[in-house]
Protein backbone atom coordinates (compact mmCIF):
# COMPACT_ATOMS: atom_id res chain seq x y z
CA UNK A 1 0.00 0.00 0.00
CA UNK A 2 2.88 2.37 0.80
CA UNK A 3 4.37 1.79 -2.65
CA UNK A 4 1.06 2.56 -4.38
CA UNK A 5 0.62 5.82 -2.47
CA UNK A 6 4.23 6.78 -3.24
CA UNK A 7 3.62 6.21 -6.94
CA UNK A 8 0.64 8.56 -6.88
CA UNK A 9 2.66 11.18 -5.02
CA UNK A 10 5.47 10.91 -7.57
CA UNK A 11 3.04 11.19 -10.48
CA UNK A 12 1.47 14.30 -8.94
CA UNK A 13 4.92 15.80 -8.38
CA UNK A 14 5.88 15.19 -12.01
CA UNK A 15 2.69 16.89 -13.19
CA UNK A 16 3.31 19.88 -10.94
CA UNK A 17 6.89 20.11 -12.17
CA UNK A 18 5.83 20.05 -15.82
CA UNK A 19 3.04 22.54 -15.15
CA UNK A 20 5.34 25.05 -13.51
CA UNK A 21 8.38 24.77 -15.77
CA UNK A 22 7.05 26.85 -18.65
CA UNK A 23 8.90 24.65 -21.16
CA UNK A 24 9.21 20.97 -22.07
CA UNK A 25 11.57 19.05 -19.78
CA UNK A 26 13.93 16.17 -20.49
CA UNK A 27 13.75 12.89 -18.61
CA UNK A 28 17.08 13.60 -16.93
CA UNK A 29 15.82 16.97 -15.65
CA UNK A 30 12.65 15.47 -14.26
CA UNK A 31 14.42 12.58 -12.59
CA UNK A 32 17.04 14.84 -11.04
CA UNK A 33 14.49 17.37 -9.79
CA UNK A 34 12.59 14.67 -7.89
CA UNK A 35 15.64 12.59 -6.98
CA UNK A 36 14.25 9.58 -8.83
CA UNK A 37 16.10 6.88 -10.77
CA UNK A 38 15.61 7.48 -14.48
CA UNK A 39 13.82 4.12 -15.03
CA UNK A 40 11.34 4.99 -12.27
CA UNK A 41 10.65 8.46 -13.67
CA UNK A 42 10.34 7.04 -17.18
CA UNK A 43 7.82 4.42 -16.06
CA UNK A 44 5.61 7.01 -14.40
CA UNK A 45 5.84 9.35 -17.38
CA UNK A 46 4.99 6.54 -19.77
CA UNK A 47 1.83 5.72 -17.80
CA UNK A 48 0.82 9.39 -17.63
CA UNK A 49 1.42 9.72 -21.36
CA UNK A 50 -0.74 6.69 -22.10
CA UNK A 51 -3.52 8.32 -20.09
CA UNK A 52 -3.15 11.59 -22.02
CA UNK A 53 -1.98 13.54 -18.96
CA UNK A 54 1.56 13.99 -20.29
CA UNK A 55 2.70 14.52 -23.88
CA UNK A 56 6.13 13.99 -25.43
CA UNK A 57 7.63 16.20 -28.12
CA UNK A 58 8.42 14.03 -31.11
CA UNK A 59 11.54 15.94 -32.11
CA UNK A 60 13.25 16.52 -28.78
CA UNK A 61 11.76 13.71 -26.69
CA UNK A 62 11.04 16.20 -23.93
CA UNK A 63 7.88 16.05 -21.83
CA UNK A 64 5.05 18.54 -21.27
CA UNK A 65 1.53 18.49 -19.91
CA UNK A 66 -0.98 16.62 -22.08
CA UNK A 67 -4.39 17.67 -23.36
CA UNK A 68 -6.04 15.06 -21.15
CA UNK A 69 -5.69 17.29 -18.12
CA UNK A 70 -8.06 19.86 -19.58
CA UNK A 71 -10.68 17.15 -20.10
CA UNK A 72 -10.67 15.81 -16.55
CA UNK A 73 -14.16 16.02 -15.10
CA UNK A 74 -15.84 15.94 -18.50
CA UNK A 75 -17.63 12.82 -19.74
CA UNK A 76 -16.59 10.81 -22.75
CA UNK A 77 -17.75 12.30 -26.01
CA UNK A 78 -20.81 10.20 -26.85
CA UNK A 79 -20.19 10.37 -30.58
CA UNK A 80 -16.60 9.19 -30.20
CA UNK A 81 -17.67 6.39 -27.88
CA UNK A 82 -20.40 5.31 -30.28
CA UNK A 83 -18.00 5.34 -33.23
CA UNK A 84 -15.53 3.13 -31.39
CA UNK A 85 -18.25 0.65 -30.41
CA UNK A 86 -20.23 0.42 -33.66
CA UNK A 87 -18.39 -2.45 -35.35
CA UNK A 88 -18.41 -4.60 -32.23
CA UNK A 89 -22.07 -3.79 -31.58
CA UNK A 90 -23.04 -4.84 -35.10
CA UNK A 91 -21.11 -8.10 -34.74
CA UNK A 92 -22.70 -8.71 -31.34
CA UNK A 93 -26.20 -8.33 -32.77
CA UNK A 94 -25.38 -10.73 -35.59
CA UNK A 95 -23.83 -13.28 -33.23
CA UNK A 96 -26.53 -13.26 -30.57
CA UNK A 97 -29.62 -12.48 -32.63
CA UNK A 98 -30.42 -9.81 -30.04
CA UNK A 99 -30.77 -6.05 -30.11
CA UNK A 100 -27.69 -4.25 -28.82
CA UNK A 101 -27.67 -1.13 -26.64
CA UNK A 102 -24.82 1.15 -25.63
CA UNK A 103 -25.78 3.38 -22.72
CA UNK A 104 -24.05 6.18 -20.84
CA UNK A 105 -25.14 8.24 -17.82
CA UNK A 106 -27.70 10.89 -18.78
CA UNK A 107 -26.68 14.51 -18.30
CA UNK A 108 -28.57 14.78 -15.00
CA UNK A 109 -27.33 11.40 -13.76
CA UNK A 110 -30.89 10.14 -13.30
CA UNK A 111 -31.19 7.89 -16.35
CA UNK A 112 -29.29 5.92 -18.95
CA UNK A 113 -28.84 7.66 -22.29
CA UNK A 114 -28.91 5.17 -25.16
CA UNK A 115 -26.22 6.43 -27.56
CA UNK A 116 -26.31 3.44 -29.92
CA UNK A 117 -28.95 0.82 -30.73
CA UNK A 118 -28.62 -2.04 -33.20
CA UNK A 119 -31.85 -3.79 -34.20
CA UNK A 120 -32.35 -7.51 -33.79
CA UNK A 121 -31.37 -9.07 -37.13
CA UNK A 122 -34.65 -11.02 -37.48
CA UNK A 123 -36.42 -8.33 -39.50
CA UNK A 124 -39.20 -7.89 -36.95
CA UNK A 125 -40.78 -4.44 -36.46
CA UNK A 126 -38.64 -2.45 -34.02
CA UNK A 127 -38.40 1.12 -32.74
CA UNK A 128 -35.06 2.91 -32.76
CA UNK A 129 -34.04 3.76 -29.18
CA UNK A 130 -30.95 5.85 -29.93
CA UNK A 131 -31.02 9.23 -28.12
CA UNK A 132 -33.68 8.09 -25.68
CA UNK A 133 -33.25 8.14 -21.91
CA UNK A 134 -34.39 5.03 -20.06
CA UNK A 135 -34.75 4.38 -16.31
CA UNK A 136 -31.73 3.18 -14.40
CA UNK A 137 -33.51 0.74 -12.10
CA UNK A 138 -35.65 -0.95 -14.74
CA UNK A 139 -33.19 -1.75 -17.55
CA UNK A 140 -30.13 -3.99 -17.61
CA UNK A 141 -27.94 -1.17 -18.96
CA UNK A 142 -29.23 1.18 -16.28
CA UNK A 143 -28.64 -1.36 -13.51
CA UNK A 144 -25.15 -1.88 -14.91
CA UNK A 145 -24.36 1.83 -14.56
CA UNK A 146 -25.85 1.95 -11.07
CA UNK A 147 -23.63 -0.96 -10.03
CA UNK A 148 -20.39 -0.02 -11.73
CA UNK A 149 -20.57 3.78 -12.10
CA UNK A 150 -22.35 4.85 -8.89
CA UNK A 151 -20.54 8.19 -8.75
CA UNK A 152 -22.07 9.21 -12.10
CA UNK A 153 -25.69 8.10 -11.68
CA UNK A 154 -28.40 7.88 -9.07
CA UNK A 155 -31.81 6.29 -9.42
CA UNK A 156 -34.75 8.66 -9.22
CA UNK A 157 -36.89 8.38 -6.10
CA UNK A 158 -39.40 6.98 -5.60
CA UNK A 159 -38.63 4.01 -7.85
CA UNK A 160 -41.33 3.91 -10.53
CA UNK A 161 -42.90 0.61 -11.49
CA UNK A 162 -43.21 -0.07 -15.23
CA UNK A 163 -44.18 -3.75 -15.09
CA UNK A 164 -44.82 -6.31 -12.39
CA UNK A 165 -41.12 -7.25 -12.60
CA UNK A 166 -39.74 -3.76 -11.93
CA UNK A 167 -37.73 -3.49 -8.72
CA UNK A 168 -39.39 -0.67 -6.77
CA UNK A 169 -38.13 -1.41 -3.25
CA UNK A 170 -34.85 0.42 -2.45
CA UNK A 171 -33.60 -2.44 -0.28
CA UNK A 172 -34.26 -4.95 -3.05
CA UNK A 173 -32.49 -2.68 -5.54
CA UNK A 174 -29.48 -2.45 -3.23
CA UNK A 175 -29.32 -6.26 -3.03
CA UNK A 176 -29.58 -6.52 -6.80
CA UNK A 177 -26.71 -4.07 -7.30
CA UNK A 178 -24.56 -6.00 -4.82
CA UNK A 179 -25.25 -9.20 -6.74
CA UNK A 180 -24.50 -7.43 -10.02
CA UNK A 181 -21.09 -6.26 -8.83
CA UNK A 182 -20.29 -9.73 -7.54
CA UNK A 183 -21.09 -11.56 -10.78
CA UNK A 184 -19.93 -8.80 -13.17
CA UNK A 185 -23.12 -8.34 -15.20
CA UNK A 186 -26.60 -6.87 -14.83
CA UNK A 187 -29.84 -8.54 -15.80
CA UNK A 188 -33.40 -7.38 -16.43
CA UNK A 189 -36.15 -9.98 -16.75
CA UNK A 190 -38.97 -7.75 -17.90
CA UNK A 191 -38.66 -4.76 -15.60
CA UNK A 192 -38.93 -2.19 -18.40
CA UNK A 193 -41.15 -3.89 -20.97
CA UNK A 194 -43.23 -7.03 -20.31
CA UNK A 195 -41.54 -10.13 -21.69
CA UNK A 196 -38.45 -8.23 -22.84
CA UNK A 197 -35.20 -8.98 -21.05
CA UNK A 198 -31.69 -7.61 -21.09
CA UNK A 199 -28.14 -8.40 -20.10
CA UNK A 200 -25.44 -5.73 -19.72
CA UNK A 201 -21.79 -5.46 -18.76
CA UNK A 202 -19.61 -2.42 -18.08
CA UNK A 203 -17.31 -0.91 -20.70
CA UNK A 204 -14.20 0.37 -18.97
CA UNK A 205 -11.56 2.87 -20.03
CA UNK A 206 -8.03 3.17 -18.68
CA UNK A 207 -7.69 2.54 -14.96
CA UNK A 208 -10.93 0.56 -14.81
CA UNK A 209 -13.30 3.53 -15.03
CA UNK A 210 -16.75 2.49 -16.28
CA UNK A 211 -17.72 4.84 -19.12
CA UNK A 212 -20.68 2.95 -20.60
CA UNK A 213 -22.87 -0.11 -20.36
CA UNK A 214 -23.10 -2.54 -23.27
CA UNK A 215 -26.23 -4.66 -23.38
CA UNK A 216 -28.22 -7.13 -25.41
CA UNK A 217 -32.00 -7.23 -25.38
CA UNK A 218 -34.57 -9.78 -26.48
CA UNK A 219 -37.29 -12.08 -25.20
CA UNK A 220 -36.66 -13.07 -21.59
CA UNK A 221 -36.57 -16.79 -22.41
CA UNK A 222 -33.79 -16.25 -24.96
CA UNK A 223 -31.54 -14.58 -22.40
CA UNK A 224 -32.43 -16.41 -19.18
CA UNK A 225 -33.09 -19.97 -18.12
CA UNK A 226 -36.29 -20.90 -16.35
CA UNK A 227 -34.64 -20.48 -12.94
CA UNK A 228 -33.41 -16.98 -13.77
CA UNK A 229 -29.80 -17.65 -14.70
CA UNK A 230 -28.27 -15.85 -17.67
CA UNK A 231 -27.77 -18.09 -20.67
CA UNK A 232 -24.01 -18.52 -21.17
CA UNK A 233 -23.77 -17.96 -24.94
CA UNK A 234 -25.14 -14.39 -25.18
CA UNK A 235 -23.35 -13.45 -21.96
CA UNK A 236 -20.03 -14.73 -23.29
CA UNK A 237 -20.40 -12.85 -26.57
CA UNK A 238 -21.48 -9.70 -24.72
CA UNK A 239 -18.48 -9.83 -22.40
CA UNK A 240 -16.12 -10.39 -25.31
CA UNK A 241 -17.49 -7.41 -27.22
CA UNK A 242 -17.18 -5.14 -24.18
CA UNK A 243 -13.57 -6.23 -23.73
CA UNK A 244 -12.77 -5.39 -27.34
CA UNK A 245 -14.43 -1.98 -27.11
CA UNK A 246 -12.53 -1.26 -23.91
CA UNK A 247 -9.25 -2.17 -25.61
CA UNK A 248 -9.94 0.52 -28.19
CA UNK A 249 -10.35 3.12 -25.43
CA UNK A 250 -7.00 2.52 -23.76
CA UNK A 251 -4.85 5.62 -23.59
CA UNK A 252 -7.64 7.92 -24.75
CA UNK A 253 -9.11 10.74 -22.69
Amino acid sequence: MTRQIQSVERAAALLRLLGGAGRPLALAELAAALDLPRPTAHGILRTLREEGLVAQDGASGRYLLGDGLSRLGTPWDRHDLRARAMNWADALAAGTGCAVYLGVPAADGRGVDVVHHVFRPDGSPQVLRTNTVQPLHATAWGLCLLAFAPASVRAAEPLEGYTRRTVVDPAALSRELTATRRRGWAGDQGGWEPGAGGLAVPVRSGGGLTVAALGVGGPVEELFTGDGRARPDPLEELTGAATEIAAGLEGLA
Side-chain angles (χ1 to χ4, degrees):
M1 182 63 70
T2 301
R3 187 180 305 112
Q4 292 174 344
I5 294 174
Q6 187 179 60
S7 295
V8 174
E9 290 175 341
R10 288 171 170 175
L14 283 167
L15 291 172
R16 291 192 186 100
L17 190 56
L18 290 170
R23 61 179 177 84
L25 297 175
L27 173 62
E29 294 177 285
L30 291 164
L34 298 180
D35 195 23
L36 292 176
R38 288 194 189 187
T40 300
H42 183 260
I44 297 172
L45 287 165
R46 183 177 65 246
T47 301
L48 292 172
R49 187 183 63 200
E50 289 172 353
E51 293 299 322
L53 304 179
V54 164
Q56 188 173 21
D57 182 75
S60 67
R62 293 172 180 263
Y63 295 91
L64 62 157
L65 293 179
D67 293 339
L69 283 170
S70 64
R71 293 192 291 271
L72 288 177
T74 60
W76 270 81
D77 181 84
R78 53 184 288 155
H79 301 294
D80 189 30
L81 184 60
R82 179 175 183 264
R84 295 178 186 279
M86 285 181 66
N87 288 342
W88 295 109
D90 290 344
L92 181 61
T96 61
C98 297
V100 174
Y101 299 85
L102 183 69
V104 301
D108 63 358
R110 295 302 182 98
V112 52
D113 191 352
V114 179
V115 299
H116 189 49
H117 174 205
V118 182
F119 283 170
R120 295 190 307 274
D122 60 7
S124 61
Q126 299 171 65
V127 177
L128 186 65
R129 306 291 188 182
T130 302
N131 297 325
T132 64
V133 176
Q134 298 183 355
L136 291 162
H137 69 289
T139 61
W141 20 101
L143 289 167
C144 184
L145 292 179
L146 280 172
F148 297 106
S152 301
V153 295
R154 184 170 57 182
E157 297 178 356
L159 300 174
E160 184 176 352
Y162 298 95
T163 75
R164 289 186 295 178
R165 303 298 298 272
T166 309
V167 177
V168 294
D169 176 55
L173 177 61
S174 179
R175 291 192 296 270
E176 178 62 26
L177 297 180
T178 298
T180 295
R181 285 187 285 268
R182 183 177 63 248
R183 67 196 178 207
W185 54 268
D188 155 40
Q189 299 186 52
W192 174 229
E193 296 176 335
L199 295 170
V201 296
V203 176
R204 302 182 187 274
S205 65
L209 178 69
T210 295
V211 296
L214 181 69
V216 292
V220 171
E221 61 273 13
E222 293 184 7
L223 296 175
F224 298 91
T225 62
D227 57 1
R229 291 176 297 162
R231 295 191 181 276
D233 288 347
L235 185 58
E236 181 178 348
E237 292 195 51
L238 174 61
T239 302
T243 299
E244 295 294 345
I245 294 170
L249 302 179
E250 290 183 0
L252 300 173

